[in-house]
Amino acid sequence: YAVEPQPFARALKTLDSNPNAVLFPMMRTAERESKYLWIGLLAKRNYYFYRLESRKDIVIRSLEDARQYRIGVLRGDVRADYLRAQGFVEGADKGLEVVNAAFSLLKMQQAGRIDLIVFSDEGVRLACEEAKVSCDNITPAFRLDMVGNLWLTASPQMPPALVNTLRKAFQHQEDSGYLGKLMKSGRPVGG
């Protein structure tokens, strides 16, 4: 096998077009349920709007309060889909700013081009590492009403025998405690 990091939107295309592809982690949602094969649960995450610590002017008590800000999201990511379902739209001065890579969101926020970013608590830490910025100046502004169940996901065209092999191997790694250690390390990021 080969491991190839890809922007999330491209990774979804790979999963859709390559019968032997797996993607991790991917949030399991009702919309995705029948579209992919689900190998195993990796982790559960809570998601937040994050602001810069210096932006004390940003106060969010409800999702409605966030509409006045520029919000950075990842292309193809379920968090962007969630916000769109809540009525958020891409806009020139307020709304969603869609990018391809998590580190870009942090760089844009640091440069003042967006006000808020959407990550899990683990995801923001990993994105900070990738962007080579400190997370010390980033703070949660509001917890979103969504919980992410992150899964190892397989192409819908994957041969059943390979799916069964992957599920057995996943269960073995879970039973051995390896997956718990891996997920506590904070790796990997995804949507």
Side-chain angles (χ1 to χ4, degrees):
Y1 68 90
V3 176
E4 180 183 348
Q6 296 180 346
F8 193 74
R10 185 172 356 134
L12 283 176
K13 286 181 182 177
T14 300
L15 194 63
D16 289 336
S17 64
N18 183 338
N20 292 323
V22 295
L23 174 63
F24 64 93
M26 184 156 82
M27 191 181 303
R28 191 169 184 170
T29 65
E31 297 80 20
R32 292 176 174 170
E33 184 67 32
S34 63
K35 194 171 180 182
Y36 301 104
L37 302 174
W38 304 94
I39 304 302
L41 177 65
L42 294 167
K44 293 182 179 186
R45 297 283 187 251
N46 293 306
Y47 293 91
Y48 302 85
F49 285 129
Y50 284 88
R51 65 171 174 82
L52 293 176
E53 181 67 39
S54 61
R55 292 290 311 271
K56 306 248 189 254
D57 60 303
I58 297 176
V59 178
I60 302 174
R61 292 184 182 88
S62 70
L63 200 56
E64 190 62 33
D65 292 341
R67 293 184 193 284
Q68 63 186 302
Y69 301 108
R70 295 282 303 152
I71 302 167
V73 294
L74 291 172
R75 186 173 319 283
D77 188 83
V78 71
R79 292 161 282 195
D81 295 340
Y82 168 82
L83 291 173
R84 283 187 190 100
Q86 303 302 315
F88 286 78
V89 296
E90 294 179 42
D93 60 342
K94 302 291 182 240
L96 303 179
E97 179 74 30
V98 182
V99 301
N100 290 324
F103 72 88
S104 297
L105 294 172
L106 288 151
K107 296 285 189 180
M108 291 171 69
Q109 188 179 45
Q110 298 283 333
R113 293 178 46 206
I114 54 178
D115 303 307
L116 299 166
I117 54 178
V118 184
F119 280 104
S120 69
D121 47 2
E122 285 295 318
V124 75
R125 184 181 63 78
L126 296 171
C128 286
E129 287 177 15
E130 185 180 2
K132 296 179 179 29
V133 299
S134 171
C135 277
D136 293 343
N137 65 344
I138 299 170
T139 189
F142 182 76
R143 182 176 168 183
L144 296 175
D145 185 24
M146 65 183 295
V147 175
N149 292 323
L150 303 177
W151 284 71
L152 176 63
T153 310
S155 168
Q157 301 91 16
M158 184 173 280
L162 183 53
V163 172
N164 289 336
T165 299
L166 287 172
R167 286 181 176 147
K168 286 178 185 173
F170 185 91
Q171 188 62 51
H172 174 73
Q173 294 301 322
E174 189 171 56
D175 292 346
S176 73
Y178 175 75
L179 284 177
K181 290 177 191 172
L182 178 68
M183 295 317 292
K184 281 186 180 180
S185 74
R187 296 281 177 214
V189 177

